[in-house]
Amino acid sequence: AQKVTQAQTEISVVEKEDVTLDCVYETRDTTYYLFWYKQPPSGELVFLIRRNSFDEQNEISGRYSWNFQKSTSSFNFTITASQVVDSAVYFCATYRAGAGSYQLTFGKGTKLSVIP
Amino acid sequence: NAGVTQTPKFQVLKTGQSMTLQCAQDMNHNSMYWYRQDPGMGLRLIYYSASEGTTDKGEVPNGYNVSRLNKREFSLRLESAAPSQTSVYFCASSEVDRGRETQYFGPGTRLLVL
């Protein structure tokens, strides 16, 4: 069975600080996907990224970056120069497909508060 | 483009009542999803549809049925609602472009089962 652990329940940073959200996953599959999602206080859900297990290159998108390390089963998310608008709950997830089922497992989320 | 729309936004049911949550997307996406999010919890996938006419179970399909009769719409039905189904339900659709996936979420439906 898959499992995603986001050990940091809540993090507070001061605006402009960098912050890294940890995600550790467990899977027996060789092919899988990893995801990050954002849920602001408004409650909407925002998709951030999907990463294939074969692609270990780091990804950067503006102030966001993701570090995928198979050796440690981690897919960490870093926000550089954090802003108040980054305050949200962030979820990490992993996916595998099986016969007749689509297994997408989420972590419990990390609540990030960016203080002005 | 409206993106992903969900109706209703809020619903109160009594135990045993049935209802259908509607979801539609106007982005011509093949993949669609239904999730539930319980208070203080992460998301759990209920059902997934890779294309019109196909559906796959997710992590928590029991108590739900889905229907993907066309590319645009993906409905979720509760045949006999139970208090344990009190949750916020999110529908989503996704596309993969040159190996990169992007998912789009609806605003959610808050369901209270008494």
Side-chain angles (χ1 to χ4, degrees):
Chain A
Q2 301 176 108
K3 184 179 178 182
V4 176
T5 302
Q6 296 180 253
Q8 305 149 306
T9 306
E10 293 193 39
I11 300 176
S12 289
V13 298
V14 176
E15 201 171 20
K16 297 184 183 175
E17 286 184 346
D18 299 348
V19 58
T20 295
L21 309 183
D22 298 332
C23 173
V24 174
Y25 62 92
E26 294 177 27
T27 181
R28 295 179 188 173
D29 297 305
T30 54
T31 301
Y32 52 89
Y33 293 94
L34 297 165
F35 302 81
W36 275 96
Y37 299 83
K38 173 183 179 180
Q39 188 169 39
S42 59
E44 68 196 81
L45 280 164
V46 180
F47 169 87
L48 295 177
I49 190 171
R50 182 191 84 167
R51 175 48 57 89
N52 183 310
S53 58
F54 294 118
D55 182 2
E56 289 192 70
Q57 278 192 329
N58 288 340
E59 175 98 11
I60 298 175
S61 176
R63 295 185 297 107
Y64 295 170
S65 62
W66 290 268
N67 181 273
F68 175 30
Q69 297 216 346
K70 258 186 176 177
S71 59
T72 56
S73 297
S74 65
F75 186 44
N76 296 338
F77 171 36
T78 298
I79 302 174
T80 303
S82 59
Q83 299 176 2
V84 172
V85 293
D86 296 326
S87 296
V89 179
Y90 291 86
F91 295 99
C92 179
T94 182
Y95 150 72
R96 68 178 288 271
S101 70
Y102 185 101
Q103 298 299 319
L104 182 59
T105 303
F106 285 80
K108 295 191 183 306
T110 296
K111 182 177 181 181
L112 173 66
S113 298
V114 181
I115 304 163
Chain B
N1 281 355
V4 180
T5 58
Q6 291 182 237
T7 55
K9 285 188 170 50
F10 181 72
Q11 182 73 46
V12 179
L13 291 178
K14 294 181 180 178
T15 297
Q17 286 185 318
S18 62
M19 79 161 293
T20 299
L21 281 64
Q22 305 287 353
C23 174
Q25 51 94 6
D26 61 1
M27 296 172 281
N28 204 37
H29 292 166
N30 283 313
S31 298
M32 295 187 74
Y33 312 75
W34 273 108
Y35 300 90
R36 62 176 286 175
Q37 184 176 32
D38 299 325
M41 299 279 289
L43 292 162
R44 290 186 290 174
L45 182 69
I46 306 171
Y47 270 95
Y48 163 69
S49 171
S51 61
E52 176 184 341
T54 68
T55 60
D56 284 322
K57 295 178 181 179
E59 184 184 357
V60 288
N62 291 344
Y64 304 94
N65 287 307
V66 289
S67 177
R68 182 88 184 272
L69 295 179
N70 56 58
K71 196 171 189 179
R72 186 172 174 274
E73 298 169 305
F74 188 35
S75 61
L76 178 72
R77 183 160 179 83
L78 288 70
E79 291 290 352
S80 179
S84 61
Q85 293 177 305
T86 292
S87 191
V88 180
Y89 291 84
F90 290 98
C91 177
S93 69
S94 71
E95 62 177 355
V96 178
D97 181 19
R98 287 170 286 183
R100 289 185 174 275
E101 178 176 1
T102 304
Q103 295 180 16
Y104 301 84
F105 285 87
T109 294
R110 292 183 179 276
L111 177 65
L112 174 62
V113 183
L114 301 175

